[in-house]
Amino acid sequence: MTPAPRLDNRSYYDDFAGWYEKERGQGYHQMLDDLEVGLVERYGRDRDVLEVGCGTGLILDRAARFARTATGVDLSGGMLARAAARGLRVVQGSATALPIADASVDVAYSFKVLAHVEDITTAMAEMARVVRPGGWVLAEFYNTRSLRRLVKAIKPPSAVSAQTDDEAVYTRYDSPDDIRGYLPPELEWVTARGIRIVTPVAAVHKVPVVGRLVRLAEERLADLPVARELGGFLVAVLRRR
Ligand SMILES: C[S@@+](CC[C@H](N)C(=O)[O-])C[C@H]1O[C@@H](n2cnc3c(N)ncnc32)[C@H](O)[C@@H]1O
């Protein structure tokens, strides 16, 4: 199969915008969202939160219900139009130059975005810059040390639209040690949440009983020492000094 041509992030996500929510709200994707939102709620209830790369606003919409204020930033006008249609407060901009004032939020979080950012040290410095001292950065990476990475290496690319597949955009994988190396001095690694530790392929979540058991296992393992660092999606929980 001929690989899809590599696109810049904005074009890729503008193309993806009409399809993005196709699989969401059920099974595997619901589990990812629930584990991500649960972490934001732990740190962001009644606080000012910012989502970096908010996409169509599926996570931001849920955060807006428990946060004091919720703002989203995204590069793609196509994705943002859908978030704005939900009535969310969103602004167009890049993770590497956030259009957000210094020390203006309590929690900056980012899910399924940083893995597509080449200049990762600038993105981490930007998230640190906008968070108040004592606040939190929740930064999700794609983990090299995971079952998900192994399966991705074997499996053919998945279609995201009629034109592109999931290999048409820049994607990085990092180990927990790599991530520690990207942190600016003002961010302290406190813990991590591991998401998708034992799920071999997303489709298992569609199998009756088995899907339920896998989800229960994922919920139990997500915050367990050692296990959590094997999450396909690894969320570093970082405190702003
Ligand atoms: C896979 S979606 C995730 C959306 C949302 N976080 C969620 O979990 O539903 C990735 C989003 O990141 C955005 N994005 C990619 N690179 C970006 C960058 N450098 N700055 C800001 N947003 C970016 C894309 O436009 C897209 O909306």
Side-chain angles (χ1 to χ4, degrees), residues 196-211:
R196 187 180 168 165
I197 298 170
V198 291
T199 297
V201 290
V204 300
H205 289 267
K206 292 183 180 159
V207 182
V209 185
V210 175

Side-chain angles (χ1 to χ4, degrees), residues 5 26 37 45 71 140 156 184 213:
Q26 55 187 325
V37 171
R45 172 162 282 282
T71 308
E140 186 182 85
L213 291 174

Side-chain angles (χ1 to χ4, degrees), residues 54-209:
C54 63
T56 60
L58 277 174
I59 304 256
L60 189 64
D61 194 33
R62 291 175 63 181
R65 290 178 216 162
F66 56 72
R68 180 167 50 208
T69 67
T71 308
V73 170
D74 201 282
L75 205 52
S76 157
M79 299 292 265
L80 276 185
R82 287 161 197 272
R86 291 193 148 96
L88 296 168
R89 183 157 79 178
V90 290
V91 48
Q92 193 161 13
S94 170
T96 53
L98 291 172
I100 302 291
D102 294 359
S104 57
V105 298
D106 300 299
V107 179
Y109 66 89
S110 189
F111 300 125
K112 315 174 201 86
V113 176
L114 299 172
H116 305 296
V117 176
E118 290 195 63
D119 187 358
I120 193 65
T121 52
T122 300
M124 295 309 297
E126 277 294 272
M127 289 178 82
R129 177 183 66 75
V130 300
V131 167
R132 298 180 179 120
W136 298 90
V137 170
L138 311 176
E140 186 182 85
F141 288 81
Y142 295 176
N143 190 358
T144 45
R145 293 193 203 140
S146 63
L147 182 60
R148 176 174 184 262
R149 177 64 181 127
L150 191 68
V151 172
K152 281 263 177 195
I154 303 165
K155 201 169 114 329
S158 313
V160 299
S161 80
Q163 282 79 40
T164 60
D165 60 44
D166 62 357
E167 288 187 359
V169 70
Y170 166 83
T171 305
R172 57 183 307 126
Y173 287 83
D174 297 289
S175 70
D177 288 341
D178 294 334
I179 301 165
R180 285 179 171 89
Y182 304 144
L183 305 187
E186 59 272 30
L187 287 184
E188 176 197 3
W189 179 295
V190 175
T191 184
R193 170 165 264 202
I195 298 176
R196 187 180 168 165
I197 298 170
V198 291
T199 297
V201 290
V204 300
H205 289 267
K206 292 183 180 159
V207 182
V209 185

